[in-house]
Amino acid sequence: MTSHLHPDSFRPGQIVRKSFGLKEAIQESLKQDYASPIIQKIVEADYLYSEKGLTFHLARSFGFCYGVDRAVDLAYETRKKFPDRRIFLTAQIIHNPRVNKNLQEMGIDFLEDYSQVTSKDVVVLPAFGATASQIETLKGIGCVLVDTICGSVLNVWKRVESYAMERFTAVIHGKYYHEETQATSSRVFEYPGGRYLVVLDLNETDYVCRYIREGVEKQDFLDRFAKQVSPGFDPDQDLKRIGVANQTTMLMSESIEIARRLEQALADRYGSENLATHFRNFDTICSATEDRQNAMIDLVKNRHLDLMLVIGGFNSSNTNHLAKIASSKIPRTYHIEDKDFLISPDEIRHKPVGKFDVVTSKDWLPSGELSIGITSGASTPNQVMGDVIERVLLFR
């Protein structure tokens, strides 16, 4: 615990990873900002709730995960611990609009220019992490760093660093533009000659596998993955020895299949008996992501649902994957951020699966008795879910 330390007692560049001992002091604020009586009521009623001809089926794993809980708690504690200091976030602490808005209203601002930071400031590293160079820059400035990085993300970092140490290229299943994947890929540079390649999906993986087996035009490879490889990447050399990792919020089944296909490609090229010198793979799938995806699969498979509401930030990777799972079984699947996207009983604004733009659809809430599935991404507060349910009930 560090609660006994005066705010001015922290060393320049000190990284704080544990609670400041102020959890009791922030509990009322957290409850007011994120708790939902109706969600608690539904959980206690075996994840089922009926009213006004509507039956809500709540997924058995949803909302804030342990890592998000910890990140939000520590951010609130930081504001309490340093009431008179400027506090910055290197990026969104998690991908949820309400949470980030609450933090901004508390005076925790996004860091847009590192030159504005001084040794008197406090900088919060978000749950997704930050790149190695960003962290080193901030340590050099001498500000206090509050580390809310998720433990599951740190496990992936350790794995990627071990690949780099053994001279294996880290092949990361993720989105190259996502903060977590950028932070993860930066870890290869902890060792000389570290290399990485980011693949988004099975289509990109199949292209890489074809290169491993047959070789294709090198420039075509480099053009295709220009933003997804480490500087100086040479596919002829750097695809001979690979280790698989993943952004923790990706689709679990896809991460497993990507690893399987890459392993098979290397076995075909070098022989199964030589795989140990060409392939590494360790389970780096986040347990919370896995739990929520499995709960979604169970819900759409075992319940007759007329429609599905998936609630969470549009830039939330894990929420997007929940919507993808649901839409494969429930045609009326709507990914929304909060209650304001429910315009009326006839109109809903939502982000279709696989799309970037928000659209407006009609006739989303038919008359008569309905069974409605409900879940939310790991960054979504229960209060946001509760607001959505109450808005739907108001329409009836």
Side-chain angles (χ1 to χ4, degrees), residues 180-393:
E180 181 187 328
T181 293
Q182 291 177 352
T184 296
S185 61
S186 75
R187 312 316 296 182
V188 305
F189 303 126
E190 296 295 295
Y191 294 89
R195 294 284 188 267
Y196 71 80
L197 163 66
V198 179
V199 293
L200 175 64
D201 53 25
L202 292 173
N203 287 334
E204 290 191 354
T205 302
D206 285 341
Y207 182 94
V208 174
C209 289
R210 190 161 66 252
Y211 198 103
I212 291 172
R213 288 189 177 98
E214 308 164 9
V216 292
E217 220 289 310
K218 182 190 290 190
Q219 194 56 51
D220 182 65
F221 181 101
L222 295 174
D223 290 343
R224 179 165 183 157
F225 293 100
K227 296 180 179 180
Q228 298 165 237
V229 294
S230 50
F233 192 90
D234 180 355
D236 291 338
Q237 299 300 319
D238 297 331
L239 292 179
K240 290 181 178 179
R241 291 157 56 89
I242 65 174
V244 180
N246 63 279
Q247 182 181 313
T248 58
T249 53
M250 300 302 282
L251 191 61
M252 174 188 64
S253 58
E254 192 170 39
S255 290
I256 293 171
E257 180 61 15
I258 283 171
R260 189 196 68 78
R261 293 188 188 188
L262 289 169
E263 181 181 24
Q264 187 60 55
L266 288 163
D268 292 343
R269 176 68 185 273
Y270 300 105
S272 299
E273 68 278 9
N274 297 314
L275 265 178
T277 59
H278 292 277
F279 183 72
R280 295 278 189 275
N281 182 38
F282 295 88
D283 183 3
T284 57
I285 296 170
C286 166
S287 60
T289 296
E290 183 176 358
D291 289 346
R292 280 149 185 75
Q293 290 178 5
N294 285 338
M296 183 80 267
I297 292 168
D298 180 69
L299 182 62
V300 298
K301 180 181 178 181
N302 297 314
R303 302 292 178 91
H304 175 74
L305 302 176
D306 297 296
L307 65 93
M308 184 77 208
L309 294 175
V310 180
I311 307 162
F314 290 147
N315 60 343
S316 165
S317 179
N318 75 88
T319 307
N320 277 284
H321 289 304
L322 291 175
K324 183 177 181 179
I325 292 169
S327 66
S328 68
K329 296 288 186 182
I330 312 296
R332 289 177 179 267
T333 291
Y334 303 102
H335 178 183
I336 61 175
E337 287 196 330
D338 56 40
K339 66 177 182 180
D340 293 336
F341 287 78
L342 307 180
I343 301 170
S344 71
D346 183 56
E347 283 190 319
I348 185 171
R349 292 176 61 237
H350 64 103
K351 189 176 85 64
V353 171
K355 307 294 183 181
F356 288 98
D357 295 329
V358 177
V359 302
T360 300
S361 295
K362 300 281 190 179
D363 191 31
W364 74 276
L365 188 67
S367 59
E369 295 188 358
L370 295 173
S371 289
I372 302 174
I374 296 279
T375 195
S376 63
S379 304
T380 306
N382 285 0
Q383 190 179 93
V384 174
M385 292 184 72
D387 290 347
V388 167
I389 292 173
E390 290 172 354
R391 173 68 62 90
V392 175
L393 289 171

